[in-house]
Amino acid sequence: MWASISLMDDVDRKILAELQQDGRLTVTELAARVRLSVSPCHRRLRELERSGAIQGYRAVVDPPSLGLNFEALVFVSMRQEDRDTVAEFERAVSELEHVLDAQRLFGEPDYLLRVATADLAAFQRLYDERLATLPGVQRLTSTLVMKHVVRDRPLPA
């Protein structure tokens, strides 16, 4: 991870902002946008990658194009929260490909999962056969996503 936000200057922030908008920029294009020559821009880019400030590059794919037309948020309340149960639960959740995001929360509920499936029937099967049987789960509560108002917004600079 980046050691301290104070080590990052305005040029680094501009590089990150540009790459969040378009991760396919060439170093030459990136350098022009942040007003650097190619060589210093390339060095800064490699340092941002090495430090973990840039964790990777990916394509943003439209879920319906993969047949994932149904999305739900699942709130998980744990029966047990000892270290072993939490670790086992988190490992099991990380192996479920239809869980797009999983966040541990303070307070109640304990976890929030974002799940995408083909349809309601597929979600029900996942819910009954996999989610409800996860280690330490006491209760699951779900709500359906009607639409995305803000999605994949770049981080503020």
Side-chain angles (χ1 to χ4, degrees):
M1 252 344 199
W2 195 261
S4 170
I5 198 73
S6 64
L7 297 176
M8 193 178 301
D9 65 14
D10 288 341
V11 175
D12 290 331
R13 291 177 198 283
K14 287 178 187 174
I15 289 170
L16 293 174
E18 291 295 336
L19 288 173
Q20 285 184 93
Q21 291 298 322
D22 184 356
R24 294 186 63 160
L25 290 173
T26 66
V27 175
T28 303
E29 292 167 331
L30 180 61
R33 290 189 186 189
V34 300
R35 299 187 185 346
L36 279 180
S37 61
V38 173
S39 188
C41 183
H42 190 259
R43 276 195 302 276
R44 283 176 177 262
L45 180 59
R46 292 294 167 243
E47 180 56 28
L48 289 167
E49 292 169 345
R50 188 200 62 72
S51 72
I54 296 175
Q55 296 181 348
Y57 300 89
R58 64 182 179 93
V60 178
V61 178
D62 178 53
S65 68
L66 297 176
L68 300 172
N69 298 302
F70 186 87
E71 190 170 325
L73 301 176
V74 180
F75 301 93
V76 181
S77 296
M78 300 294 285
R79 177 179 59 251
Q80 298 171 241
E81 294 186 72
D82 60 272
R83 181 180 302 162
D84 291 341
T85 303
V86 165
E88 195 176 336
F89 171 84
E90 290 179 1
R91 181 198 50 72
V93 163
S94 71
E95 293 175 359
L96 297 175
E97 68 179 349
H98 290 279
V99 175
L100 305 180
D101 291 309
Q103 299 169 344
R104 187 170 182 194
L105 309 174
F106 277 109
E108 180 68 26
D110 299 301
Y111 289 89
L112 170 61
L113 312 178
R114 188 172 138 240
V115 176
T117 61
D119 53 28
L120 178 59
F123 174 71
Q124 181 183 352
R125 281 191 306 278
L126 178 71
Y127 188 98
D128 292 344
E129 296 171 11
R130 304 295 304 274
L131 298 175
T133 65
L134 289 169
V137 169
Q138 177 181 8
R139 182 176 65 252
L140 299 174
T141 307
S142 60
T143 187
L144 308 181
V145 175
M146 185 184 306
K147 78 175 192 179
H148 289 272
V149 177
V150 176
R151 186 174 195 142
D152 295 323
R153 173 182 282 156
L155 296 173

